[in-house]
Amino acid sequence: MEDDIPFANATVTGTRALEDEELVELRETKRLKTSHERRHETPAQDDVAPAKPRYDLIGILPPSLKLLGIEPATDENDHPVTREVDVGISEYVSAGTSKIEAIIKQRFTDFLVYEVDESGTVIHLQSIECPNPTAGLKIKSPEESTPAPTPTPADQPREWTSEYTEKLGPYFSEDALKELEKVWLEGANQPPAVPTEEETTKVEPAEPASVSSEGIEDTRSGKGKGGRGGRGGRGGRGGRGARGGNRGGGTQAAEDKRKVTSQVRILLLIAHQHYNSSKPFALKKPIDAKDKRKELHDLIRALFRGQLDSEAANSIGAEGPRIIVKWGGRGGRGGGRGGRSSREDRPPPYIHFTLHKTNRDTQDALSKLARSLTLPVKDLCVAGTKDKRGVTTQRVSLKRGRLLITDVWSMANGLKGRGRTEEQAIKERGERGIRIGDLEYKTGFLELGMLNGNCFVITLRNLRVDAPETVNDVMQSIQTRGFINYYGMQRFGTASIPTHAIGLAILKSDWEFAISLLLRPRPGEHSEVEAGRRAFLEDGNLSQALDLIPRRCVAERCILEYYSKNKGRNALEALSTIPRNLRLMYVHAYQSYVWNAVVSERVRQHGCEKPVIGDLVYDRDQGDGTTMDVDAAEGATNEAGPSNTSAPHKGKKPQKGGKRPYVAPKIKVLSSEEDLKAYTIFDVIMPLPGRDVAYPGGQLGERYKEFLKLDGLDPDNLVHAQRDYTLLGSYRKIMHLPAQLSWSTLRYTDPDIPLAQSDEDKILGFDPPVIEEHGRFMALQIQLQLGTAAYATMAIREITKMDTSSQIQAVLTQQSEDQKFRGGAGGEAPIDVEGEGEDAEMPVAEDEREAVAEMPEA
């Protein structure tokens, strides 16, 4: 197969290689001009073009850009573009070796991402059908199960034996025990006894009488945990599954007509507060031990065959809690002990499912799902964010509330609210590029960092190399030497206003400028989005702006919706309405920019083959630190420790709710030849700027300070008045070695033909990729697994030695020779570059446009 690879200087069957002069000319046309060059150009008279939309994008990059020794660049329309060098990405591991020329992410399926969970399992979408209602539940076997006793019919005779008195005696006073016997023998709905003259002040209808371990309680008020008037209370403790017995299979009992007097209530008060009173009511002390209380609950259930409920008293006396016993059937959870037994049978509080998304930001996809499920987006959690342009698969946890697993599937697939049928849900692609599957109940939730990395299937098209052996040489270099672990271009956004510029404005408390950057029109957006921005900024028409700007523009809509509700426009308050994780993403982008720039400086000074004196590493004496993944909590903020930090957590028990406890890493500065022998280049770390990190000594440490000072920040005081924006800092390894790597070459002619298949398309039964044995063009398909927070595009950058920014890749794609064969006709085919907002950077094939076609908002 290698003999058929197109070489840059050789003729190959089916296509003609470009000559050296043509290559130079092509590269020149692709090169973006700097602002300086454009300012000194003299346009020819014939070049005068109609006026184009004006974009105010000058001076938005951080002032520290001058430390990189470059000037901002613009495209052919004088619009600023963000290149790799603008965010500190400039060096290569194998700078002097051959490169592979190719096109990146031409189709969505050219970039497939599969999450690897903490157990090492690669997540694939396996089923899109309606889930089994018991998926994830632990179903006991018959021999393990202890079924609740069948309640006795209300009219069946009851008895009180000496066994009752003997077993309940340790828990109840003599008088309370007699009252309990009376309540039991009378039954649930018997007429009450006529009150005597001593029992008296007021007689009124009451709910079923209840007996506590210290006396009798009147539950008429509805303020107790079984109250709520006609709804029958909340079944002892809330009984969400069967309020009033009408939901979840419970039955509504008839109203108990017995009367309970005020003196009874007074005795109860005495029981709670003065158990050693001289009143003629023999009281027992409170039951302090939890296991003893459980014994009583179990005993009540067994003795009375599930007909009487037991629960903790509404109020706890000074000496401890007491137990109330009463007739069940009113607001209970289907019988048994006031809800305690049903709590064991209730599904766990979380539902986990697989999210399969196409050309969607993770946050955008979660927001869309939250709207479909009519719940806050904060109830959806993921272990990591995934690339936008591509097809990605990952697990999501949902705090389900009252939703059952079948409800979630139906609502997410549009069966409830949008009128889709179940057949459509399982035979058509997911709406707006979003599909869920593999639902199951779980007891815990996910949080950022709870993964072991990602697997990728990446297809590079229109492959061109200078020699047959180049592919293997370059790939083996990646396999053994790795790549520089830069934060990729996705970290800084795909628009001409990069996220780190917004982050710097936030860190400087320049709230108005931050909002200005978020709302400004930018080239390449969908026409409706740009029109919405201009409606607000130029015409002051807020309602029209909200009508035009789609929900996927989360930050913009949050700001505009705040303005629509508040006459006094407070910029800080407006920013604070943006979801916290999104706001912090801007701040972390600035940290990533500084990290990239200083790491490039380190590579220029010392190379990337081995550590040097002064490098930082994790101290191996701290145990798990040597195996920890540096950015396991990418983009997260741990309230107990540094943000964006992945301190060692393996072996540590999760805190309440599943969160990992923060453990500050111990850092070692390499200071001797023995140290250099003990560590490799893959151990070397560099800090993201922050309050709680150690900086390297010498020139690199000073470099951090130079960047921060030039950008208007105090490197010695990164505490912010707004706590969320305090830079705490973290560490990241400067090199990354793939855990797995393999590759193969494929042939194709039509660039619209997929060369890889997504999980969803496999399940739907779409035709698998067809490889042409004698196709005109060559593609390189790479399968690799990377650790958490490593960017696959940075590995591809090392292979191709090309800028991976979306704007530059769009130019390369449109000028690629294989574009002449779109549609298989062998001639020119129109290229539709108008996509959704910032998705417009690449041509989109017809079937892919259909996959992400706009649907009405839920």
Side-chain angles (χ1 to χ4, degrees):
M1 182 68 78
E2 285 183 1
D3 293 336
D4 293 330
I5 297 177
F7 306 145
N9 297 297
T11 301
V12 198
T13 304
T15 186
R16 184 183 65 83
L18 296 176
E19 300 297 334
D20 289 346
E21 294 80 9
E22 292 175 302
L23 281 173
V24 172
E25 182 180 355
L26 179 58
R27 292 188 182 113
E28 284 299 316
T29 62
K30 295 176 183 177
R31 186 173 69 86
L32 295 168
K33 298 182 180 181
T34 67
S35 299
H36 176 78
E37 291 171 326
R38 290 199 172 274
R39 282 197 300 269
H40 291 81
E41 282 184 334
T42 303
Q45 192 67 30
D46 294 339
D47 292 339
V48 177
K52 296 180 180 179
R54 183 175 58 85
Y55 299 97
D56 183 12
L57 303 172
I58 304 300
I60 62 174
L61 295 178
S64 58
L65 185 67
K66 64 177 65 175
L67 293 177
L68 301 178
I70 59 175
E71 289 190 38
T74 57
D75 61 16
E76 65 276 5
N77 296 314
D78 272 340
H79 299 152
V81 295
T82 304
R83 306 159 297 175
E84 287 183 344
V85 292
D86 295 320
V87 295
I89 302 172
S90 60
E91 307 304 310
Y92 296 95
V93 173
S94 53
T97 62
S98 299
K99 66 178 180 179
I100 296 174
E101 292 185 2
I103 304 300
I104 303 171
K105 294 187 179 182
Q106 183 167 303
R107 293 180 55 88
F108 300 144
T109 52
D110 286 350
F111 200 82
L112 305 180
V113 186
Y114 305 95
E115 187 171 83
V116 181
D117 67 17
E118 289 189 302
S119 69
T121 302
V122 179
I123 303 300
H124 283 276
L125 183 67
Q126 298 177 351
S127 173
I128 61 175
E129 295 186 355
C130 187
N132 184 329
T134 62
L137 296 180
K138 294 182 179 179
I139 308 300
K140 294 182 179 180
S141 61
E143 56 272 16
E144 294 176 323
S145 179
T146 307
T150 303
T152 305
D155 58 351
Q156 181 174 327
R158 284 166 295 279
E159 60 179 358
W160 184 279
T161 66
S162 58
E163 178 188 11
Y164 289 63
T165 304
E166 179 183 351
K167 291 185 176 181
L168 294 173
Y171 301 98
F172 292 89
S173 68
E174 183 178 349
D175 287 353
L177 199 58
K178 289 180 180 179
E179 185 65 30
L180 179 59
E181 178 183 355
K182 179 181 177 182
V183 169
W184 169 245
L185 292 177
E186 284 182 346
N189 296 289
Q190 298 301 317
V194 177
T196 64
E197 293 181 1
E198 291 83 7
E199 302 172 311
T200 128
T201 60
K202 185 178 180 183
V203 177
E204 56 183 320
E207 298 205 11
S210 61
V211 181
S212 79
S213 56
E214 306 306 328
I216 307 169
E217 175 173 332
D218 180 358
T219 59
R220 284 176 299 180
S221 65
K223 295 179 181 179
K225 294 184 181 179
R228 274 209 187 182
R231 296 174 75 183
R234 292 183 63 125
R237 288 198 180 180
R240 289 188 175 187
R243 288 188 181 177
N246 291 327
R247 302 179 193 176
T251 58
Q252 177 95 21
E255 183 181 3
D256 194 327
K257 299 296 184 180
R258 286 176 293 183
K259 308 293 188 294
V260 181
T261 67
S262 62
Q263 185 174 351
V264 173
R265 295 196 293 274
I266 294 172
L267 289 175
L268 176 64
L269 181 63
I270 294 173
H272 277 282
Q273 298 182 357
H274 306 287
Y275 66 89
N276 57 353
S277 170
S278 60
K279 294 282 183 181
F281 201 76
L283 307 174
K284 293 289 183 180
K285 291 187 176 182
I287 305 172
D288 293 320
K290 184 176 180 180
D291 57 341
K292 291 295 182 183
R293 296 197 298 273
K294 183 178 185 302
E295 287 179 7
L296 178 55
H297 286 305
D298 292 339
L299 182 60
I300 294 295
R301 185 184 182 193
L303 286 176
F304 300 108
R305 302 183 292 281
Q307 293 187 77
L308 295 186
D309 290 347
S310 61
E311 64 180 29
N314 294 338
S315 58
I316 296 177
E319 298 81 14
R322 292 155 171 91
I323 302 299
I324 293 175
V325 180
K326 62 182 180 181
W327 276 97
R330 291 184 54 82
R333 296 173 182 164
R337 227 184 332 109
R340 285 180 178 264
S341 61
S342 62
R343 184 175 301 173
E344 299 171 359
D345 301 328
R346 193 189 314 163
Y350 297 95
I351 293 173
H352 287 208
F353 57 84
T354 299
L355 169 63
H356 182 284
K357 63 182 182 67
T358 302
N359 196 35
R360 284 285 176 268
D361 285 322
T362 301
Q363 186 64 36
D364 177 28
L366 295 181
S367 296
K368 197 269 181 184
L369 283 174
R371 293 194 297 273
S372 298
L373 300 173
T374 63
L375 47 75
V377 70
K378 66 180 181 180
D379 288 348
L380 292 160
C381 299
V382 294
T385 57
K386 306 299 180 223
D387 298 78
K388 176 180 181 179
R389 186 172 177 84
V391 182
T392 69
T393 308
Q394 65 188 116
R395 293 294 280 176
V396 179
S397 68
L398 163 68
K399 185 178 179 181
R400 67 179 185 86
R402 298 184 183 184
L403 295 176
L404 298 177
I405 200 169
T406 49
D407 298 330
V408 173
W409 185 86
S410 298
M411 296 170 75
N413 282 289
L415 273 67
K416 296 183 178 180
R418 295 196 296 277
R420 294 184 86 203
T421 65
E422 184 169 341
E423 183 178 11
Q424 288 176 315
I426 62 176
K427 291 187 177 181
E428 298 175 1
R429 282 189 170 126
E431 292 183 310
R432 303 187 67 197
I434 298 172
R435 161 76 72 185
I436 72 167
D438 311 324
L439 293 82
E440 59 180 339
Y441 290 107
K442 290 283 187 178
T443 56
F445 59 86
L446 295 172
E447 63 176 343
L448 288 170
M450 295 177 67
L451 74 168
N452 273 340
N454 296 283
C455 279
F456 301 84
V457 178
I458 301 171
T459 304
L460 305 180
R461 293 178 181 258
N462 199 15
L463 183 72
R464 300 183 63 79
V465 294
D466 57 4
E469 63 275 7
T470 296
V471 171
N472 285 336
D473 290 347
V474 171
M475 298 306 298
Q476 286 171 2
S477 173
I478 294 287
Q479 196 169 40
T480 57
R481 301 175 67 189
F483 58 93
I484 302 173
N485 197 26
Y486 286 124
Y487 286 98
M489 295 302 292
Q490 303 98 304
R491 185 75 156 184
F492 307 98
T494 58
S496 51
I497 299 179
T499 55
H500 69 293
I502 301 170
L504 178 58
I506 292 174
L507 290 172
K508 294 170 69 174
S509 299
D510 195 344
W511 315 121
E512 291 80 7
F513 187 53
I515 287 181
S516 170
L517 292 177
L518 285 166
L519 295 181
R520 290 185 193 187
R522 65 246 7 228
E525 283 190 305
H526 191 285
S527 57
E528 284 192 351
V529 178
E530 180 169 344
R533 294 182 188 274
R534 295 189 183 278
F536 173 68
L537 295 174
E538 299 174 5
D539 303 331
N541 193 329
L542 185 56
S543 60
Q544 184 181 6
L546 284 170
D547 287 341
L548 290 170
I549 295 179
R551 287 177 175 172
R552 67 174 178 273
C553 300
V554 177
E556 293 87 340
R557 287 195 63 89
C558 284
I559 294 171
L560 295 177
E561 287 171 0
Y562 168 84
Y563 285 163
S564 70
K565 299 173 184 176
N566 298 272
K567 292 183 179 179
R569 294 180 180 177
N570 184 300
L572 174 56
E573 289 182 2
L575 275 174
S576 299
T577 63
I578 300 173
R580 182 173 179 269
N581 62 338
L582 185 54
R583 286 183 281 121
L584 294 183
M585 185 180 69
Y586 299 130
V587 173
H588 295 153
Y590 176 76
Q591 290 177 290
S592 304
Y593 155 70
V594 175
W595 189 91
N596 280 354
V598 179
V599 166
S600 289
E601 186 73 20
R602 194 266 179 218
V603 173
R604 282 193 294 271
Q605 290 183 13
H606 307 294
C608 45
E609 298 296 329
K610 58 185 180 180
V612 298
I613 298 297
D615 277 338
L616 304 179
V617 296
Y618 288 108
D619 193 338
R620 287 178 177 166
D621 291 340
Q622 69 180 351
D624 288 337
T626 57
T627 59
M628 124 185 157
D629 200 321
V630 191
D631 283 320
E634 180 85 11
T637 297
N638 188 331
E639 294 297 336
S643 66
N644 198 24
T645 300
S646 64
H649 61 246
K650 295 187 178 181
K652 298 289 182 181
K653 292 184 178 180
Q655 295 172 335
K656 185 177 180 180
K659 291 187 177 181
R660 305 285 189 179
Y662 171 75
V663 180
K666 186 178 179 182
I667 304 303
K668 178 181 179 65
V669 180
L670 301 185
S671 58
S672 66
E673 290 298 325
E674 288 72 20
D675 288 341
L676 299 182
K677 293 178 182 178
Y679 294 88
T680 73
I681 191 63
F682 297 105
D683 297 315
V684 176
I685 59 176
M686 291 287 277
L688 281 87
R691 183 192 68 188
D692 298 337
V693 297
Y695 292 99
Q699 294 181 358
L700 294 180
E702 290 300 316
R703 199 64 165 168
Y704 277 99
K705 295 181 180 180
E706 290 178 25
F707 271 88
L708 297 175
K709 287 180 179 178
L710 199 55
D711 288 335
L713 302 177
D714 182 356
D716 298 318
N717 182 18
L718 294 173
V719 177
H720 201 283
Q722 301 297 318
R723 183 181 176 187
D724 278 352
Y725 306 136
T726 291
L727 295 184
L728 300 174
S730 62
Y731 299 92
R732 179 179 175 90
K733 292 182 178 179
I734 70 171
M735 297 291 295
H736 194 89
L737 193 67
Q740 298 177 15
L741 176 65
S742 61
W743 62 92
S744 60
T745 54
L746 313 170
R747 281 199 168 276
Y748 73 99
T749 299
D750 184 354
D752 286 350
I753 299 299
L755 300 178
Q757 191 172 36
S758 68
D759 287 345
E760 182 184 35
D761 286 356
K762 290 177 184 177
I763 293 172
L764 293 175
F766 290 177
D767 292 337
V770 177
I771 309 303
E772 296 183 54
E773 185 177 352
H774 302 292
R776 289 175 173 269
F777 305 103
M778 184 68 67
L780 175 64
Q781 195 162 87
I782 303 168
Q783 300 186 36
L784 76 161
Q785 180 176 333
L786 304 177
T788 55
Y791 287 78
T793 49
M794 293 296 96
I796 300 305
R797 173 184 179 271
E798 185 67 37
I799 294 170
T800 62
K801 307 295 188 299
M802 298 168 65
D803 194 307
T804 58
S805 61
S806 60
Q807 292 146 315
I808 292 179
Q809 284 297 316
V811 173
L812 296 177
T813 297
Q814 294 179 41
Q815 296 179 349
S816 177
E817 189 178 357
D818 62 358
Q819 294 300 305
K820 299 176 182 179
F821 297 88
R822 293 188 69 184
E828 293 286 346
I831 298 176
D832 181 4
V833 296
E834 182 178 66
E836 293 185 24
E838 294 170 8
D839 302 336
E841 68 269 9
M842 305 257 185
V844 181
E846 187 65 38
D847 59 334
E848 293 194 334
R849 282 198 296 271
E850 179 183 346
V852 295
E854 286 291 342
M855 299 290 289
E857 293 286 354

